Amino acid sequence: MSSQENSESLPEAQATAHGAVETAGDPFADPGLPAHKPRIQDIDERAAKRSERAVAFLFFLSMVATVGFIASYVIFPVDKIVFIFPFGHVSVLNFALGLTLGVALFCIGAGAVHWARTLMSDVEMPAERHEIAAPPEVKAQVLADFKQGAAESGFGRRKLIRNTMFGALALVPLSGVMLLRDLGTLPEDKLRHTMWSKGKALINMNTNEPLRPEDLTVGSLTFAKPEGLEETAEDFQTQIAKAALMLVRIKPEDIKDKRELEWSHQGIVAYSKICTHVGCPISLYEQQTHHVLCPCHQSTFDLSDGARVIFGPAGHALPQLRIGVNDEGYLEALGDFEEPVGPAFWERG
Amino acid sequence: MSTTTDARREAPAGERIADWADGRLGIYSLAKANMRKIFPDHWSFMLGEICMYSFIIIILTGVYLTLFFHPSMNEVVYDGSYVPLQGMHMSEAFNSTMHISFDVRGGLLIRQIHHWAALIFLAGMFVHMMRVFFTGAFRKPREVNWLFGFLLFVLGMFTGFTGYSLPDDLLSGTGVRFMEGAIMSVPIVGTYLSFFLFGGEFPGGDFVARFYSVHILLLPGIMLGLMVAHLILVFYHKHTQFAGPGRTNKNVVGMPLLPVYMAKAGGFFFLVFGVIAVVAAIASINPIWAIGPYRPDQVSTGAQPDWYMGFSEGLIRVMPGWEINLWGHTLVLGVFIPLVIFPLVLATIAVYPFIESWITGDKREHHIADRPRNAPTRTAFGVAWITWYMVLLIGGGNDLWATHFHLSINVITWFVRIAFFVAPVLAFVATKRICLGLQRRDAAKVLHGRESGIIKRLPHGEFVEIHEPLDANARYKLTAHEQYKPAEIGPTVDENGVARKISRTQKLRAKLSKGYFGEGNQIPKPTAEEYEEITSGHGHH
């Protein structure tokens, strides 16, 4: 092995060669590699036979488990659920396949490791290390070769070639960058508008019916979407990501914010459901305090006070939607949100 | 001529195949260097193996999943065999994941193996990285390999994130929404980045397909290359070993690849795979059928990312909601600062090897792994970093802490805000003291021996405990570590009395060096003289 190449191995005096660091030496001399202690299998053939049988048994068990895997695949229906203590209700197929596959694999591993530990030689032996850095003459040769190669190319001398090549190489990736342009549309003012507009009725998210003021009781939380937005619509997800609305009814005298009261209808206030932090839908409502909490990052807003942030990482209040009642007595929007909904961004202002 | 052909014909078939391959691939030279390559033995050296094997398992199971998964956001109505979701609108991605879980025999098992293996892969890399850190195995010549490993960890995080986002379920969709919000906070270009990533407004109809190619091709391709490079360097540098009798910086002591490590390492692959398969059989993971398809207007409580993303979740949760509005623009510091700290937390540990080598000024190769106690400042730094990371993990699960331990969410958030700055300092101080205490104990053991627990009564009535002297092997092992002397700036004036120019970096380096190796920052190793004196003194007692 490598022991024949002693000349290349790490020099003894490496520590002092650089002189950059000082370290204290070892106070006690290295006693050298301890003698090998034989294992029971090394001296007792019967013990070695026992180990051999153990390894063979593990490999055999693996074969049995693989047969079990195939059998389970054939026997158990994919939709059968059973109760297995302490795992609860599990898919019997998944359970059987996983266990048999696990045993089949594990036994191969256990057999191999047991074989290595008990029957293969465990005599520790040293191998020399070699310094990673090349010896000085190799380095000198490489540098000379490089200089010769560079000189033959004329790279340093013919500056016109060099500079135009750099120019060409610098420009050519621009084509690739251009090709990325159509990855998406430009933001323009898309983030400033939602589907809400004057006269759009508020549709109950659960019943798909337009909402009347009397449907909402004090202390309840209702989610709404704009009239005309159907779940089957192609852009439903994108539209609802901005237009999702939550309605709560607060006693008008409990509303602290003046504008909020003006934009409400008989104490019914409509706020964007999309958190102004990073856009999670807000869904936890505390009826006594009229606080809503975002379950993702715990931003808390006070719906009785302009939905201002009272705790958590959100940076500004939830946008409010101005609502009223149309001629037929249904709740309707009196316009779009006046500010962008959802997370803040550079152009938001 | 005829004799050589005869010899060839007589050679066994295996040898003839090897000859054929050698003539074309040069396998004999390759085997000469590697077949009986020596590897040292220590339990902590298997941590990297766990990572490698779980990565292979992920690739195997991942390829299987691609056979059934449809990376499309086209809307479909579910009509599969899972009754509670029948009739629901969902994307094809979610629908095909349901199909894998309920209608493909063994599909659920492979999905769960894939996900569990990913969690174990990331956890393995984290622990493996810490092993390398605390034993100083990142020192020359292994700094580049440290960076390869670090990159694998970071890329693994993003591969995991893009992977668990693919089923387009309510939980992962919420995570993607969070990512969109974070990208939008980037000053000037944030909205453009978001629109280019999602093909327009969130969520649009593109991100699953895009994440898919990133998850199954781009990132794993880079990672596979990095992992091969990582392994080549491990072979090339030869493994580090702990100090011990006969184990020096110039050799590597252990057992050969053929047969011992072929069997042990090869077998270990099956052990890892077997354990993960059993876990996937008994423990369900990411049950998307219970979570439901993604809707931007719906969310569940207790939403958590996979564990390796938890620290970034902590950053975003505890950051105060700072927002600056100026000249018609918004600087979303409450989200942007966490986005910037996220890579900084990781970079802090990544650059440490270079800082340490600058402080020590050590240009030598190091192949002896340090015991953590013998590098107290490094160990303290590492523990401080882990503490930092763990504090953020607590922040990332602040709602779970609140519900499970009946604590106030506000108090936990404030605890994390303060602990983010204070806890690493406390951990640093405590760890360093513990390390120094352990060094003192080692020194005492070398000089006075091991406490035997046997109490002896002397003739005049005094009780003493008998200390058994250590044998030469143990004594060598406890004193084989290196101790640097702190770097000196040298005199501030030269021999002519003229003030020498000492740069600020030199001064800083000297100061740090003193903090690492100065008096009180490491316990001097016992000397042979001290030992002589004490042991000879015993004879006269």
Side-chain angles (χ1 to χ4, degrees):
Chain A
M1 273 204 50
S2 44
S3 51
Q4 293 116 18
E5 304 157 61
N6 267 339
S7 56
E8 276 179 48
S9 67
L10 288 179
E12 198 76 49
Q14 199 200 18
T16 49
H18 298 280
V21 277
E22 281 189 78
T23 56
D26 291 346
F28 302 104
D30 182 356
L33 264 187
H36 174 244
K37 284 199 200 105
R39 297 161 299 191
I40 180 88
Q41 289 86 355
D42 294 332
I43 42 181
D44 182 357
E45 184 53 29
R46 276 184 312 166
K49 273 270 176 239
R50 269 202 303 278
S51 291
E52 188 185 344
R53 280 196 297 272
V55 173
F57 175 72
L58 285 165
F59 288 158
F60 177 73
L61 209 59
S62 168
M63 291 188 242
V64 172
T66 298
V67 173
F69 181 93
I70 296 167
S72 310
Y73 190 93
V74 177
I75 295 167
F76 296 119
V78 69
D79 53 357
K80 182 138 174 81
I81 305 291
V82 293
F83 181 85
I84 296 175
F85 181 81
F87 310 113
H89 290 278
V90 296
S91 151
V92 66
L93 181 67
N94 183 67
F95 191 76
L97 291 180
L99 279 193
T100 48
L101 180 66
V103 169
L105 291 163
F106 190 91
C107 285
I108 295 178
V113 172
H114 192 60
W115 181 8
R117 289 177 65 96
T118 57
L119 294 171
M120 292 179 187
S121 162
D122 72 334
V123 178
E124 289 201 306
M125 42 187 141
E128 294 287 326
R129 290 183 188 274
H130 310 286
E131 201 172 0
I132 304 297
E137 58 274 15
V138 172
K139 180 184 163 187
Q141 179 67 48
V142 168
L143 288 183
D145 286 353
F146 176 76
K147 278 193 188 121
Q148 191 186 349
E152 284 170 8
S153 76
F155 190 75
R157 203 155 42 87
R158 303 190 193 280
K159 297 230 163 55
L160 185 62
I161 291 183
R162 188 191 68 186
N163 295 345
T164 49
M165 184 184 78
F166 281 158
L169 289 176
L171 286 186
V172 78
L174 289 179
S175 315
V177 175
M178 279 311 291
L179 289 172
L180 297 178
R181 167 60 190 87
D182 279 349
L183 273 177
T185 54
L186 293 184
E188 291 156 350
D189 62 348
K190 293 189 189 92
L191 294 169
R192 298 193 169 272
H193 302 296
T194 72
M195 251 187 94
W196 292 106
S197 60
K198 191 167 163 49
K200 277 226 167 120
L202 276 58
I203 309 293
N204 188 326
M205 195 61 107
N206 292 329
T207 61
N208 228 7
E209 297 292 328
L211 280 159
R212 291 172 181 277
E214 48 274 27
D215 296 338
L216 299 157
T217 54
V218 172
S220 69
L221 173 71
T222 308
F223 300 128
K225 62 179 182 178
E227 176 188 356
L229 178 59
E230 295 306 323
E231 247 189 80
T232 46
E234 202 173 314
D235 63 345
F236 173 77
Q237 297 276 74
T238 304
Q239 290 303 340
I240 200 69
K242 290 192 295 183
L245 199 67
M246 61 180 165
L247 298 165
V248 295
R249 190 168 200 151
I250 306 173
K251 286 187 200 129
E253 60 268 29
D254 288 346
I255 297 178
K256 295 175 203 125
D257 186 81
K258 218 178 116 205
R259 197 189 74 166
E260 181 181 358
L261 189 62
E262 273 173 32
W263 285 17
S264 69
H265 176 78
Q266 296 171 356
I268 298 172
V269 291
Y271 280 102
S272 165
K273 197 189 173 187
I274 307 301
C275 183
T276 58
H277 178 221
V278 286
C280 275
I282 295 164
S283 59
L284 301 173
Y285 174 56
E286 208 174 54
Q287 10 174 293
Q288 303 300 321
T289 56
H290 305 297
H291 293 170
V292 284
L293 179 100
C294 174
C296 292
H297 307 110
Q298 291 82 42
S299 292
T300 313
F301 304 86
D302 185 352
L303 289 194
S304 67
D305 192 10
R308 68 184 175 90
V309 185
I310 54 170
F311 184 76
H316 59 269
L318 296 168
Q320 188 181 359
L321 187 73
R322 200 170 180 171
I323 54 166
V325 170
N326 64 15
D327 302 341
E328 294 154 45
Y330 291 110
L331 286 169
E332 63 168 11
L334 296 179
D336 196 355
F337 289 103
E338 293 206 345
E339 50 179 320
V341 300
F345 48 93
W346 176 251
E347 298 90 341
R348 189 175 181 274
Chain B
M1 186 69 205
S2 65
T3 45
T4 47
T5 45
D6 283 350
R8 255 207 193 155
R9 214 164 277 150
E10 277 159 29
E15 192 185 319
R16 270 183 285 145
I17 293 169
D19 283 343
W20 187 91
D22 185 52
R24 284 144 191 92
L25 306 168
I27 59 163
Y28 286 146
S29 307
L30 211 65
K32 175 177 176 271
N34 293 312
M35 195 145 74
R36 292 281 282 178
K37 196 176 181 67
I38 298 294
F39 281 92
D41 214 14
H42 190 267
W43 66 265
S44 69
F45 299 164
M46 68 159 193
L47 295 168
E49 282 183 62
I50 295 182
C51 308
M52 180 168 74
Y53 298 146
S54 43
F55 187 55
I56 294 170
I57 294 164
I58 292 168
I59 291 176
L60 290 176
T61 50
V63 170
Y64 181 85
L65 292 174
T66 62
L67 305 179
F68 300 97
F69 179 70
H70 301 173
S72 155
M73 293 175 84
N74 286 345
E75 199 170 89
V76 293
V77 175
Y78 183 69
D79 62 352
S81 52
Y82 186 68
V83 177
L85 292 188
Q86 279 169 3
M88 271 186 92
H89 291 268
M90 56 181 61
S91 64
E92 250 187 76
F94 188 91
N95 188 43
S96 60
T97 313
M98 287 298 289
H99 177 70
I100 292 170
S101 307
F102 287 97
D103 303 305
V104 176
R105 280 180 286 176
L108 178 62
L109 181 72
I110 299 299
R111 234 196 92 214
Q112 301 207 128
I113 291 177
H114 190 72
H115 204 141
W116 275 117
L119 295 191
I120 288 167
F121 179 44
L122 267 297
M125 284 198 283
F126 190 91
V127 182
H128 172 58
M129 198 161 99
M130 290 301 109
R131 193 279 292 174
V132 169
F133 184 89
F134 286 114
T135 60
F138 54 71
R139 291 174 294 172
K140 191 187 170 187
R142 296 182 179 79
E143 301 100 320
V144 177
N145 222 14
W146 162 265
L147 289 183
F148 283 176
F150 172 76
L151 276 177
L152 278 166
F153 180 68
V154 175
L155 292 177
M157 283 170 48
F158 286 102
T159 314
F161 178 82
T162 49
Y164 73 67
S165 299
L166 288 181
D168 200 24
D169 57 289
L170 189 56
L171 181 60
S172 72
T174 306
V176 175
R177 176 88 216 212
F178 157 34
M179 191 188 82
E180 189 244 7
I183 292 172
M184 291 245 281
S185 76
V186 176
I188 305 172
V189 296
T191 45
Y192 290 86
L193 289 178
S194 168
F195 272 64
F196 282 2
L197 180 63
F198 290 95
E201 284 186 88
F202 177 87
D206 288 327
F207 88 79
V208 166
R210 290 179 181 182
F211 278 28
Y212 184 66
S213 72
V214 170
H215 175 74
I216 68 155
L217 182 68
L218 181 64
L219 293 180
I222 299 171
M223 288 176 74
L224 195 61
L226 276 173
M227 202 190 69
V228 170
H230 196 73
L231 281 177
I232 289 175
L233 280 179
V234 168
F235 261 70
Y236 188 56
H237 292 145
K238 299 196 170 103
H239 210 288
T240 53
Q241 62 187 353
F242 281 100
R247 291 153 205 268
T248 69
N249 202 36
K250 296 185 285 293
N251 70 8
V252 53
V253 176
M255 284 172 270
L257 180 64
L258 182 78
V260 177
Y261 281 95
M262 287 279 194
K264 271 193 178 181
F268 195 47
F269 167 75
F270 291 97
L271 291 179
V272 172
F273 205 163
V275 168
I276 294 176
V278 171
V279 170
I282 62 179
S284 108
I285 185 164
N286 197 16
I288 54 147
W289 53 91
I291 299 169
Y294 180 57
R295 278 270 301 258
D297 61 329
Q298 291 174 355
V299 72
S300 59
T301 54
Q304 288 287 318
D306 274 1
W307 79 268
Y308 44 86
M309 281 290 172
F311 80 101
S312 63
E313 179 81 5
L315 280 168
I316 201 94
R317 285 190 184 194
V318 302
M319 179 71 198
W322 297 342
E323 231 167 67
I324 298 174
N325 285 293
L326 273 179
W327 303 296
H329 288 293
T330 304
L331 200 54
V332 198
L333 294 176
V335 183
F336 186 60
I337 288 177
L339 189 66
V340 173
I341 297 178
F342 165 72
L344 284 183
V345 170
L346 297 170
T348 306
I349 199 82
V351 300
Y352 178 82
F354 302 94
I355 295 171
E356 190 185 292
S357 86
W358 173 67
I359 294 169
T360 60
D362 194 345
K363 304 275 186 289
R364 300 167 303 158
E365 288 184 13
H366 290 276
H367 302 291
I368 294 287
D370 278 327
R371 295 173 80 205
R373 69 185 61 175
N374 290 331
T377 310
R378 177 205 297 149
T379 303
F381 180 88
V383 173
W385 184 81
I386 292 180
T387 309
W388 206 30
Y389 190 94
M390 293 300 162
V391 163
L392 290 175
L393 270 186
I394 293 175
N398 59 356
D399 52 338
L400 297 182
W401 284 85
T403 50
H404 283 71
F405 297 97
H406 305 287
L407 296 167
S408 148
I409 189 112
N410 306 29
V411 170
I412 298 166
T413 304
W414 271 105
F415 165 79
V416 172
R417 282 174 182 174
I418 295 166
F420 178 82
F421 297 100
V422 176
V425 178
L426 295 179
F428 184 92
V429 174
T431 309
K432 196 156 173 178
R433 290 189 73 100
I434 292 169
C435 286
L436 293 174
L438 289 169
Q439 281 193 22
R440 282 195 194 91
R441 200 178 74 141
D442 282 352
K445 246 162 118 180
V446 168
L447 292 176
H448 303 286
R450 194 176 64 85
E451 289 173 4
S452 64
I454 299 168
I455 307 292
K456 189 164 89 174
R457 190 179 177 194
L458 300 179
H460 56 276
E462 185 190 347
F463 288 95
V464 293
E465 184 182 4
I466 295 175
H467 284 236
E468 273 175 13
L470 298 183
D471 64 19
N473 286 344
R475 211 158 45 227
Y476 175 73
K477 209 170 170 173
L478 288 182
T479 54
H481 58 283
E482 285 190 332
Q483 290 194 319
Y484 289 99
K485 297 193 175 107
E488 301 286 342
I489 307 181
T492 47
V493 290
D494 63 15
E495 62 269 27
N496 299 323
V498 183
R500 276 171 68 235
K501 252 199 186 157
I502 297 166
S503 69
R504 245 185 228 172
T505 48
Q506 268 176 303
K507 277 185 202 161
L508 177 68
R509 197 189 135 199
K511 223 179 209 169
L512 287 170
S513 181
K514 220 169 130 192
Y516 266 72
F517 313 114
E519 215 173 312
N521 292 312
Q522 59 184 2
I523 308 303
K525 289 197 287 191
T527 61
E529 292 78 52
E530 276 178 284
Y531 181 73
E532 273 314 304
E533 207 180 305
I534 287 170
T535 42
S536 63
H538 267 299
H540 293 296
H541 202 76

